[in-house]
Amino acid sequence: MKKILMLLAAVAFSTAAFAQGDKVVVKDDATGAKTTATVRDNGTVKTESRTGRTKAGEKVHNTKEDVKDAGQKTGKVVKKGAQKTGKAVKKGAKAVETKAKDVVD
């Protein structure tokens, strides 16, 4: 019974996907422009076009990416500095502990 139900569901999904028609997407990576052409069941073609980013939009996008990169670099530097400081503190504490043992002995 489960197998029949699963087979029926698979057929229903594949039929629904087939009814959507053929879809072709063409994207220009340089400008970000995208054109989508869909062929419907009745033979008509629907075409949608989106232009890419404007110059201002591209500058905003580039600024966002630059800030993201700078934040990641800063984070790595801060982490490395904290690790170095932690090692130095640990080394200093061990030296003080060793000196204190020598004084007590």
Side-chain angles (χ1 to χ4, degrees):
M1 187 66 182
K2 280 185 178 180
K3 290 181 181 179
I4 293 172
L5 185 61
M6 294 296 283
L7 184 61
L8 184 61
V11 169
F13 279 121
S14 64
T15 304
F18 180 73
Q20 294 295 322
D22 296 327
K23 190 173 192 178
V24 178
V25 178
V26 178
K27 185 172 182 180
D28 183 10
D29 291 329
T31 62
K34 183 167 82 169
T35 303
T36 306
T38 307
V39 179
R40 297 183 182 139
D41 292 336
N42 61 4
T44 60
V45 178
K46 178 183 177 184
T47 305
E48 293 180 52
S49 295
R50 287 188 161 194
T51 59
R53 292 186 180 97
T54 61
K55 289 183 180 180
E58 188 66 28
K59 285 184 180 180
V60 168
H61 177 72
N62 290 342
T63 303
K64 183 189 86 158
E65 292 298 317
D66 290 344
V67 167
K68 180 181 170 184
D69 292 343
Q72 288 176 344
K73 286 181 182 179
T74 304
K76 287 179 183 178
V77 169
V78 168
K79 180 181 176 184
K80 187 174 181 180
Q83 288 173 338
K84 288 176 104 176
T85 304
K87 284 183 180 180
V89 168
K90 189 174 180 181
K91 185 176 178 182
K94 190 169 185 172
V96 168
E97 180 184 350
T98 305
K99 197 167 198 175
K101 283 184 181 179
D102 290 342
V103 171
V104 173
D105 289 339

